[in-house]
Amino acid sequence: MHGRLKVKTTAEQQEAKRKEREKKMKLYNAATSKIFQKRQGQEYDQEALELTAQILSANSDFYTLWNYRKEIFLAFKDKSTEDELHKHFEDELSFLEACLKGNPKSYGCWEHRCFVMLTMPRPDWDRELMLCNKYLEYDERNFHCWDYRRFVVKRAQVTPEAEFEFTTSKISSNFSNYSSWHYRSKLLPLIHPDPKHPGGVKDDVLIKEFELAQNAFFTDPNDQSAWFYHRWLLGRADKQLAIDCVYVSRELRRVMVRLSKPAKIGADLSLQVYLDGVQCIGEWTTPAGTNDHSLLWLFNLTAPLDGNEHKVLVAMEGSSRSCTLKDGDEKASNVDEVKPGTLFSYQLSAATSDTLTQELDACQQLYELEPDNKWVLLTIMLLMRAIDPLKYLKETLEHIDTIIKVDPCRTNYYKDLSK
């Protein structure tokens, strides 16, 4: 028996862990209680920094303590020299790095780092950019770091071209980097704007981007990142502003209009109401009572709507719609039914016909290799509907049957494509 280590039983181990947790919890609660007392007493000193650091090192999501530290540093700012203040902030940046190593996706840590960089006397933005690069090497999908990088880039005056090259390098190392694809979509319109289409990108640049996206999904057809970017490249047609629906209530003496896309009456368009051929005077409001961009707009009629028949006409430049409130009816409406083949008609029709055809050919080549890939099937169907829905009707319906078998969880969505 001598010389042998005693092995604790399971019960003994659990009891030891319980006591250790209780000890830590007492210390945690005591420190937290003291911190709240000091904050209530407006004590902004070094001890408060040390106490909050103890808690935040274990729990970096304790947002109240980050706010207390902000108050402490603002108090230091009023009574410290520039060099002293800079030293305090340098120490805070080091502390934040230690917290981020334990929790790299802490909202509080990244937000507090923004505060420090905006408040310290001599911020080093180049160092922060290198820090972002390092964290994105550890986790390319850390959207907290991507957000912070955009914050740093703006203040470091990094050019969109340089950031675009950065996204290229990240995508080249890993096609499954959705954050890089998304960031790329924000940079392209800034670097290569299309003068004919606000927010668009020049055609020659789009062709190169199509090649990049194709390389990605031919390499890994099951990864959704490149497919989403490919959909963005194809674009989405802009609906014409029109009146889709007019509804009249006799009891409420109110006219409701639904537009084809959100608009602001007065800024984007002028909308007139005519009751039995006479123009009505009044104001349009949204259902929330505001005058912001909205699909729905309300107009209160000042003239009474008696039990007789009344005709209401709503007109705007290039579009009008009317409805008739018949004798005894309390309400009336005029609304378009969703026509077969129009539900998704704006999905991809912004791209040119040649571009759509080329992309369809590329996807069909991939389909021969990946006949059961839902992303390939979905993109082919959308491209066919954008190019010529009647010509490709039979093939589209066949693909819908196939994709429902491959991805039954989205059956209703795919069935809508057949309408």
Side-chain angles (χ1 to χ4, degrees):
M1 298 296 291
H2 294 286
R4 293 185 181 180
L5 295 174
K6 181 180 179 181
V7 179
K8 292 184 179 181
T9 63
T10 302
E12 290 175 330
Q13 290 175 341
Q14 291 177 348
E15 181 64 18
K17 290 181 179 179
R18 186 188 65 79
K19 290 181 178 179
E20 183 67 21
R21 284 196 299 270
E22 285 185 355
K23 181 180 178 181
K24 290 181 179 179
M25 184 59 67
K26 288 180 181 179
L27 294 173
Y28 185 92
N29 290 336
T32 303
S33 177
K34 188 172 183 179
I35 289 169
F36 288 152
Q37 289 176 5
K38 289 180 73 66
R39 190 186 189 191
Q40 189 174 9
Q42 297 184 352
E43 298 180 31
Y44 306 123
D45 52 23
Q46 189 64 35
E47 183 187 21
L49 280 180
E50 293 173 358
L51 286 170
T52 54
Q54 293 175 15
I55 302 298
L56 290 169
S57 296
N59 179 14
S60 60
D61 289 326
F62 204 148
Y63 205 86
T64 302
L65 301 193
W66 289 118
N67 286 335
Y68 185 25
R69 288 179 80 86
K70 289 184 178 70
E71 295 169 4
I72 295 171
F73 281 107
L74 291 176
F76 284 174
K77 188 177 179 180
D78 295 333
K79 60 184 179 182
S80 303
T81 66
E82 182 177 312
D83 290 340
E84 290 174 342
L85 186 63
H86 189 77
K87 179 63 170 60
H88 283 307
F89 280 120
E90 287 286 340
D91 292 341
E92 186 71 355
L93 290 175
S94 298
F95 171 65
L96 281 166
E97 287 187 42
C99 291
L100 286 170
K101 287 180 181 178
N103 185 3
K105 295 185 178 181
S106 168
Y107 285 95
C109 285
W110 289 110
E111 194 278 333
H112 191 68
R113 199 169 185 94
C114 293
F115 162 79
V116 171
M117 292 302 295
L118 289 174
T119 312
M120 68 187 304
R122 299 186 296 274
D124 187 347
W125 295 108
D126 290 337
R127 184 185 65 177
E128 293 304 292
L129 200 59
M130 293 177 62
L131 177 81
C132 293
N133 292 344
K134 182 172 69 174
Y135 273 92
L136 289 177
E137 288 178 4
Y138 297 147
D139 183 1
E140 296 170 332
R141 299 186 179 188
N142 187 341
F143 69 89
H144 304 270
C145 187
W146 278 105
D147 286 342
Y148 183 69
R149 182 186 178 88
R150 283 186 279 271
F151 162 79
V152 172
V153 162
K154 183 178 180 180
R155 285 151 184 84
Q157 297 183 345
V158 179
T159 64
E161 289 80 4
E163 284 298 276
F164 189 75
E165 289 301 319
F166 178 75
T167 64
T168 302
S169 65
K170 300 304 290 183
I171 290 171
S172 298
S173 62
N174 181 11
F175 282 135
S176 184
N177 191 335
Y178 180 78
S179 296
S180 291
W181 290 110
H182 173 72
Y183 194 16
R184 199 175 183 86
S185 70
K186 298 298 182 182
L187 293 169
L188 268 176
L190 298 177
I191 302 171
H192 304 287
D194 184 353
K196 298 179 181 178
H197 300 92
V201 182
K202 291 181 179 179
D203 290 341
D204 58 334
V205 177
L206 283 178
I207 291 174
K208 294 180 180 178
E209 293 300 300
F210 278 125
E211 293 175 357
L212 180 63
Q214 287 177 19
N215 288 337
F217 56 66
F218 267 85
T219 302
D220 186 0
N222 292 308
D223 185 81
Q224 63 184 3
S225 302
W227 288 110
F228 281 129
Y229 184 67
H230 184 257
R231 179 83 68 89
W232 175 81
L233 289 173
L234 290 169
R236 186 180 180 90
D238 192 19
K239 286 185 177 182
Q240 294 294 321
L241 185 59
I243 302 170
D244 280 351
C245 170
V246 171
Y247 172 89
V248 181
S249 170
R250 189 190 299 271
E251 180 182 1
L252 298 176
R253 290 197 301 179
R254 177 175 293 172
V255 178
M256 186 197 78
V257 169
R258 188 187 73 204
L259 303 174
S260 59
K261 63 179 183 179
K264 185 175 181 179
I265 295 180
D268 298 333
L269 79 157
S270 176
L271 209 59
Q272 294 86 36
V273 178
Y274 296 88
L275 178 61
D276 298 327
V278 179
Q279 184 173 354
C280 301
I281 306 300
E283 293 184 358
W284 289 94
T285 61
T286 67
T290 64
N291 191 31
D292 298 325
H293 282 75
S294 176
L295 279 173
L296 298 178
W297 288 90
L298 306 177
F299 186 93
N300 291 322
L301 297 169
T302 55
L305 292 175
D306 53 32
N308 298 323
E309 180 175 300
H310 296 281
K311 182 178 180 180
V312 176
L313 172 70
V314 180
M316 57 177 283
E317 185 178 357
S319 178
S320 65
R321 189 176 291 270
S322 64
C323 64
T324 301
L325 196 61
K326 297 181 179 180
D327 293 346
D329 287 350
E330 288 299 319
K331 58 186 178 180
S333 63
N334 182 343
V335 57
D336 283 337
E337 297 292 333
V338 177
K339 298 177 182 179
T342 63
L343 189 60
F344 291 87
S345 61
Y346 290 92
Q347 285 278 2
L348 303 176
S349 54
T352 64
S353 179
D354 290 342
T355 300
L356 294 175
T357 302
Q358 292 173 11
E359 292 307 302
L360 178 59
D361 291 340
C363 290
Q364 286 178 327
Q365 292 177 26
L366 183 58
Y367 175 65
E368 294 178 2
L369 303 173
E370 299 282 340
D372 294 329
N373 185 289
K374 70 174 184 178
W375 297 107
V376 181
L377 287 165
L378 178 60
T379 304
I380 288 176
M381 288 188 295
L382 294 175
L383 284 166
M384 287 179 171
R385 293 181 66 84
I387 296 170
D388 191 336
L390 294 178
K391 175 183 177 182
Y392 294 107
L393 178 59
K394 182 180 178 180
E395 294 177 65
T396 301
L397 294 176
E398 291 174 354
H399 288 320
I400 289 174
D401 291 339
T402 304
I403 200 171
I404 288 175
K405 296 176 183 177
V406 173
D407 187 21
C409 292
R410 295 165 185 82
T411 297
N412 290 334
Y413 169 72
Y414 299 132
K415 284 183 177 179
D416 283 340
L417 291 174
S418 64
K419 295 180 180 179

